[in-house]
Amino acid sequence: MQNLPVLYIGNKNYSSWSLRAWLGLRVAGVAFEEKLVPLRSEEWHAKAPVFSPTAKVPAFFDGTKTIWEALGILEYIADSQPDTMLWPLDIDVRAIARAVSLEMHGGFGPLRSSMPMNCRKSLPGLGRNEGVDKDITRITEIFKMCRTQFGQGGDFLFGHFSIADAMFAPVVTRFKTYGVSLDPIGNAYMETILALPEMKEWYADAAAEEWVIDDAEVK
């Protein structure tokens, strides 16, 4: 029996980058073995430098090489398994999908720091610190642009599920946790993401976790 690739992830309640890689692989139908290592635990400090050159998650080991960074992992799968359809086929649309994915990868610092991912909590109204509303406005614009200009043929940003959806999925969880409502297009898109069977599985697993990271909790 052939060994499956291994995806190393952190706590499902907190690890937004783990969610990006995990969700993209799962929705694309890529088989892998999941190995969760609790963040900041003794096990983490011992194992993280071994399974990842950055000592961070996610990391994907396919039996011969390790690929780190969620976007790098999903790009690799999109290139090596094009039948997964993780990018739009049209080169011009694919360029836009990459652009918004990279914008998410490198941007929205105020939102990320003020509204950390926490799937177990409901904290409406919290986290609205300086710069967060600007980030929310820009994300609303992205959702509306993608859905109205490129979303024909499906309910996701570019019609069918793509890497762009995986990249924005943790933002959707943040908006759910902190009670952020967008325009009708954005709200409908968030409902689509949250209704994915894979997202429901992630939430169930997060709810069952016992680990608590105090400084990742917004009170």
Side-chain angles (χ1 to χ4, degrees):
M1 181 177 179
Q2 186 177 8
N3 292 331
L4 292 175
V6 177
L7 180 70
Y8 293 91
I9 63 173
N11 310 43
K12 290 185 175 180
N13 189 54
Y14 301 110
S15 185
S16 58
W17 289 105
S18 295
L19 172 58
R20 291 181 170 101
W22 185 95
L23 183 66
L25 295 177
R26 284 292 304 275
V27 176
V30 177
F32 62 91
E33 179 184 356
E34 172 188 316
K35 289 193 176 180
L36 190 155
V37 183
L39 298 170
R40 307 186 197 177
S41 63
E42 290 184 8
E43 182 182 3
W44 173 267
H45 292 299
K47 291 183 177 179
V50 178
F51 66 68
S52 171
T54 61
K56 296 179 181 179
V57 286
F60 184 79
F61 179 66
D62 70 355
T64 60
K65 61 185 172 297
T66 297
I67 303 160
W68 59 101
E69 285 282 352
L71 189 54
I73 292 166
L74 296 177
E75 283 271 23
Y76 169 69
I77 296 299
D79 289 340
S80 61
Q81 302 182 42
D83 57 319
T84 57
M85 298 284 289
L86 278 171
W87 284 128
L89 291 176
D90 183 276
I91 189 170
D92 294 326
V93 179
R94 188 161 67 246
I96 301 301
R98 277 199 166 103
V100 298
S101 296
L102 287 165
E103 185 175 353
M104 180 68 255
H105 188 279
F108 307 111
L111 174 72
R112 287 163 140 164
S113 60
S114 298
M115 295 181 170
M117 192 172 94
N118 192 322
C119 297
R120 292 194 295 250
K121 290 289 185 69
S122 177
L123 304 167
L126 296 187
R128 300 298 279 258
N129 299 324
E130 183 178 358
V132 172
D133 284 346
K134 181 179 179 181
D135 283 350
I136 292 171
T137 297
R138 175 56 187 152
I139 291 168
T140 303
E141 292 171 352
I142 291 172
F143 288 174
K144 185 174 183 178
M145 174 196 69
C146 293
R147 287 293 302 134
T148 57
Q149 296 184 30
F150 309 108
Q152 298 80 6
D155 295 325
F156 299 98
L157 293 177
F158 294 89
H160 65 81
F161 184 91
S162 72
I163 289 173
D165 299 294
M167 292 300 294
F168 279 95
V171 171
V172 172
T173 74
R174 286 172 160 96
F175 288 171
K176 180 178 185 294
T177 297
Y178 299 95
V180 177
S181 182
L182 308 182
D183 61 13
I185 291 174
N187 289 339
Y189 171 67
M190 290 196 294
E191 290 176 4
T192 293
I193 293 297
L194 293 170
L196 283 168
E198 294 83 1
M199 283 294 287
K200 292 181 178 180
E201 179 184 341
W202 182 276
Y203 265 88
D205 291 346
E209 291 178 350
E210 297 180 355
W211 307 292
V212 174
I213 300 176
D214 286 336
D215 61 5
E217 296 280 336
V218 174
K219 301 179 177 67

